[in-house]
Amino acid sequence: MARIPLPVIKPNLTDKIIGYFSPKTALRNIQDRMKIEMLSGTGVGYNGASKSRPALSNWNAFGGSAETDISHDLPLNRARSRDQVRNNPIANGTVGQTTTNVIGTGLSLSPAIDAQFLGLTQDQADDWAANTKREWLLFANSKNCDITRQQNFFQLQDLVFRSRAESGDVAVITPMKDRGSVYSLCLQVVEADRMSNENRKQNTDKLIDGVELDEDGAAIAYHFSSHHPGDLRKTNMNWQRVPAYGENGRRNVLHLFKKLRPGQVRGVPDFAPIIEQLKQLGRYTDAELQAAVVSGMFAMFIRMDHNAFGDLFNDDGKKTYVENASKWDGNLDSGGRVVNLLPGEEPIAPNVGRPNSEFDPFVQSILRQIGMSLEIPYEVLIMHFQSSYSAARAALLAAWKTYRRWRDWMATDFCQPVYELFMDEAVAKGRIKAPGYFSDPLTRAAWCAAVWTGDGPGSIDPSKEVKAAKERVDMGISTLDTESILHDGIDYATKHRQLVKEKAMRDRDGLTITSNDGVAPAAPSENSLEEDA
C-alpha cells in the first residue's frame, strides 16, 4: 500500500509566539493544519476542494446564494444573450429551432374532465368538451386576447417561450378589459427588463429585482416600470405594483422562468453558460471568412528597373508616378488589380492557406459542447444528419426529450393557468355550464382538467415508424390516441370524426375504397439515410 506523504507545515509567526508560552498548544495547532492539508490535498476527501494541487491552487470559487450569483450579472447576461440571438446564426437558429419544435403552431387544448366524479355520462362529457373547446377557440383565435391586439393565443405562446429563452424569464399580466368582445380576459407580455425595483433601488430581503416576497419567499407582488429601461424615448419612468394574486386567489401575474436553485427569484438566459463560446466562435468564423475572401483575390505586382525609371520620366513624371503609387490603400474590393511598385520595392506574397482545412472539425467540436449545454444533440443543433437511420433517430429522440420537457413546462406554467382564467370568466358569464365550479376547489379542478398537445416530431422513415406504432397498439402497450398525438399532435377522436364523415361521403357518392384496391406502396426516397448493416 502506497504511503501518503505528509505535508510540510512550517510554524508561522503566530505559532512561534504561542510556542514561547505553550509549546503543546503550538504543536497541536500545527498538527491540526497538517490534518486539514492532508484531507484537502491527497486521496482523502474530494480532490476538487484541494488548494495544494497546482491545477486548483488559484481557483477561488465563491459560494454565493442564488440571488448573489445571478442578480448582479443578469442585466449584462440578458443584453449579450439578445445580441447573440440577433447577430449569431448559431444562437439565432437554436432559439428558432427550439421554439418551432416546442411550440410550433401552438399547443392545442383538449378538455379532459373527470366525468365520473362530476356525475356525467361519456356522451354528456363529450358534448360538454366539444362546446367548451368551441368557446375556448372563440377566445384563443381572437387577437383581442392580446392586450396589444397583435397576436392570438397561439402566437403569444411563441413570443412567451422565445422571450424566456433569450432573457431568462418573462412576465404575463392578466387584466380584464372590456373591448366589446365576448371575453374580457387579456394577456400582456412584459419583457424581463421592466420587472425591477423602483428607481433601481438596492435589493432587500423582501424585494429582489422587482419581485416582492413574503416571509416564506413566495412572490406576493411584482413591480414593473412604465417602459423599457433601454427605450430611447425621453419620458419619465414610473413603476406599478401588481399583486401576484387577487382577493379571490385569481392569478394576476404569471412569472415564467426555469428554476435552477432553491431561493432563485429571477431566471437565467439559456445562453448564459456559453455566451463566451458563441461570441468567440462568431469572431473565428468572421476571421476565416475574411481570410478566404482575401485569398480568393489576385494582385499582380510590377517592379520597374531603377535605370529605366530615370530614363523614361522627367521630374514631373516621376513626381506624378510616385504620388499615384503611394495612394493605393491595399483595397482589393474590385476583385483584382495591377499594382505598380516604387523603384527598389519588392513584393512579398503571404501564404494565407485558405480555405482552412481545420476550420470545420474545430467548429464541430465547439458546437458539440454548445449542444451539450443546451441539451440538444449536435446533429439536431445544426440540422445535418450524416449517419445511419438508427443514429439519426437516436439523436432526434434525445432532442425530443428536451422539447417535450419544455412543452410540459409551457402547458403547466402558461397554457393551463390561462385556460383556468378563461374558465372562470366563461362559467361566471354562463357561457359554459359547470355546476359546483365556484363552490368546491376539487370540483373546479375536475372541470378544468385538460391535455395540451403540440405538433408531432415528424418521421425519418415513415414506413418503419408506422409499423412500430401499429405493433405497439396491437400489443396493448399504447393506444390509437397516444400514437395519433405522437404522429402529428392531433388526437384520434378528431381524426375519427373526420374519417366517419369522409366514409359517409364516399359511400353516398359510390366511391367506397377498400384496402385491397392494389394501391402501390410509396417507393423509397433516393435521399433516404443509409440503412444500418
Side-chain angles (χ1 to χ4, degrees):
M1 181 176 178
R3 297 180 59 187
I4 299 175
L6 295 177
V8 178
I9 303 294
K10 295 182 179 181
N12 55 32
L13 180 60
T14 303
D15 295 330
K16 292 178 180 179
I17 294 173
I18 294 175
Y20 180 81
F21 299 99
S22 178
K24 289 183 178 181
T25 303
L27 180 61
R28 188 164 55 249
N29 289 345
I30 294 174
Q31 290 173 341
D32 289 343
R33 293 212 307 277
M34 288 177 64
K35 291 178 183 178
I36 294 174
E37 190 66 23
M38 288 177 64
L39 290 173
S40 63
T42 65
V44 183
Y46 289 95
N47 289 339
S50 171
K51 292 185 178 181
S52 62
R53 290 175 174 267
L56 305 176
S57 60
N58 293 323
W59 184 2
N60 297 313
F62 175 71
S65 66
E67 177 204 345
T68 301
D69 288 346
I70 294 173
S71 182
H72 180 268
D73 297 328
L74 190 54
L76 187 56
N77 262 330
R78 278 200 214 108
R80 288 177 172 175
S81 174
R82 293 187 193 129
D83 177 78
Q84 287 299 287
V85 174
R86 288 194 299 267
N87 300 302
N88 187 305
I90 297 171
N92 182 278
T94 299
V95 170
Q97 180 190 158
T98 304
T99 304
T100 296
N101 283 289
V102 173
I103 305 301
T105 55
L107 304 188
S108 299
L109 167 75
S110 295
I113 61 174
D114 189 339
Q116 183 178 2
F117 175 80
L118 295 170
L120 302 177
T121 66
Q122 191 57 51
D123 288 341
Q124 289 174 327
D126 290 343
D127 290 342
W128 185 92
N131 177 68
T132 299
K133 193 167 185 176
R134 281 191 289 270
E135 289 290 330
W136 165 253
L137 291 177
L138 179 63
F139 164 79
N141 284 331
S142 171
K143 293 187 177 181
N144 283 326
C145 72
D146 177 10
I147 200 167
T148 65
R149 288 180 166 175
Q150 294 177 341
Q151 295 182 298
N152 62 27
F153 178 70
F154 306 102
Q155 294 168 326
L156 285 173
Q157 293 179 39
D158 185 289
L159 176 63
V160 166
F161 186 80
R162 181 181 293 272
S163 298
R164 183 221 56 82
E166 291 184 20
S167 303
D169 58 1
V170 63
V172 180
I173 306 176
T174 61
M176 304 291 287
K177 295 182 73 70
D178 186 3
R179 291 175 161 178
S181 56
V182 174
Y183 292 102
S184 301
L185 173 63
C186 289
L187 303 175
Q188 180 181 3
V189 182
V190 183
E191 199 161 38
D193 309 65
R194 290 181 56 189
M195 190 191 301
S196 59
N197 298 345
E198 186 173 355
N199 295 321
R200 306 299 173 184
K201 293 179 181 178
Q202 291 292 323
N203 288 339
T204 66
D205 291 341
K206 304 301 181 184
L207 183 61
I208 299 176
D209 292 334
V211 182
E212 189 176 333
L213 308 173
D214 63 13
E215 60 275 6
D216 297 320
I220 58 174
Y222 297 87
H223 297 251
F224 299 101
S225 60
S226 54
H227 55 269
H228 195 285
D231 200 329
L232 296 179
R233 292 176 295 178
K234 301 298 183 182
T235 57
N236 294 328
M237 184 86 80
N238 301 309
W239 273 261
Q240 178 186 7
R241 181 184 183 274
V242 181
Y245 296 89
E247 294 182 359
N248 58 354
R250 182 185 186 275
R251 296 283 298 271
N252 293 329
V253 180
L254 305 178
H255 185 200
L256 306 167
F257 69 98
K258 181 180 179 181
K259 194 160 188 175
L260 303 173
R261 293 178 59 182
Q264 181 179 342
V265 177
R266 299 297 302 269
V268 180
D270 289 353
F271 295 119
I274 52 173
I275 282 179
E276 181 179 1
Q277 287 82 353
L278 286 169
K279 184 64 175 178
Q280 295 289 58
L281 188 60
R283 287 170 172 166
Y284 175 51
T285 303
D286 290 343
E288 285 293 330
L289 179 60
Q290 185 62 30
V293 170
V294 172
S295 67
M297 296 179 176
F298 178 75
M300 180 180 292
F301 297 88
I302 299 179
R303 184 173 61 180
M304 181 176 292
D305 180 79
H306 290 200
N307 296 329
F309 182 74
D311 294 339
L312 291 174
F313 298 100
N314 56 24
D315 292 341
D316 292 336
K318 292 177 183 179
K319 182 179 179 181
T320 301
Y321 186 95
V322 171
E323 287 179 352
N324 291 337
S326 61
K327 288 180 181 178
W328 181 59
D329 59 1
N331 187 358
L332 297 177
D333 287 344
S334 59
R337 178 176 294 229
V338 175
V339 181
N340 289 314
L341 298 179
L342 295 174
E345 294 181 338
E346 185 173 350
I348 298 177
N351 182 15
V352 293
R354 294 298 187 277
N356 183 0
S357 60
E358 299 300 322
F359 173 77
D360 197 52
F362 177 75
V363 170
Q364 290 183 32
S365 177
I366 301 300
L367 287 177
R368 286 188 177 93
Q369 298 180 40
I370 292 174
M372 290 173 65
S373 175
L374 299 173
E375 299 181 60
I376 301 176
Y378 158 76
E379 297 88 347
V380 180
L381 181 69
I382 65 172
M383 295 183 287
H384 186 58
F385 299 91
Q386 293 178 307
S387 302
S388 63
Y389 166 80
S390 296
R393 179 170 172 76
L396 284 172
L397 288 175
W400 267 93
K401 289 182 180 179
T402 300
Y403 298 147
R404 286 195 179 99
R405 177 167 57 81
W406 278 119
R407 185 173 286 183
D408 180 72
W409 176 85
M410 275 292 295
T412 302
D413 284 25
F414 179 64
C415 297
Q416 184 65 24
V418 171
Y419 174 59
E420 292 177 7
L421 290 170
F422 157 81
M423 283 289 294
D424 292 347
E425 183 179 3
V427 174
K429 288 184 173 180
R431 295 191 64 87
I432 295 178
K433 304 300 181 182
Y437 184 89
F438 291 110
S439 61
D440 178 34
L442 190 59
T443 302
R444 180 179 182 273
W447 285 116
C448 288
V451 174
W452 296 89
T453 56
D455 301 336
S459 300
I460 299 177
D461 190 327
S463 298
K464 283 186 176 181
E465 295 177 21
V466 169
K467 182 174 181 290
K470 182 179 184 301
E471 291 176 352
R472 287 194 293 269
V473 173
D474 292 343
M475 290 176 63
I477 61 175
S478 186
T479 66
L480 288 173
D481 192 60
T482 299
E483 297 299 333
S484 176
I485 291 172
L486 286 174
H487 173 60
D488 59 8
I490 302 175
D491 62 280
Y492 181 74
T494 300
K495 295 175 182 176
H496 178 73
R497 288 193 295 270
Q498 183 64 22
L499 287 170
V500 171
K501 179 180 178 182
E502 291 176 358
K503 186 176 186 305
M505 292 171 61
R506 292 198 301 267
D507 291 344
R508 182 195 65 199
D509 297 331
L511 298 175
T512 301
I513 301 175
T514 66
S515 59
N516 298 318
D517 283 346
V519 179
S525 171
E526 295 180 358
N527 297 324
S528 60
L529 294 171
E530 178 185 353
E531 296 285 342
D532 285 339

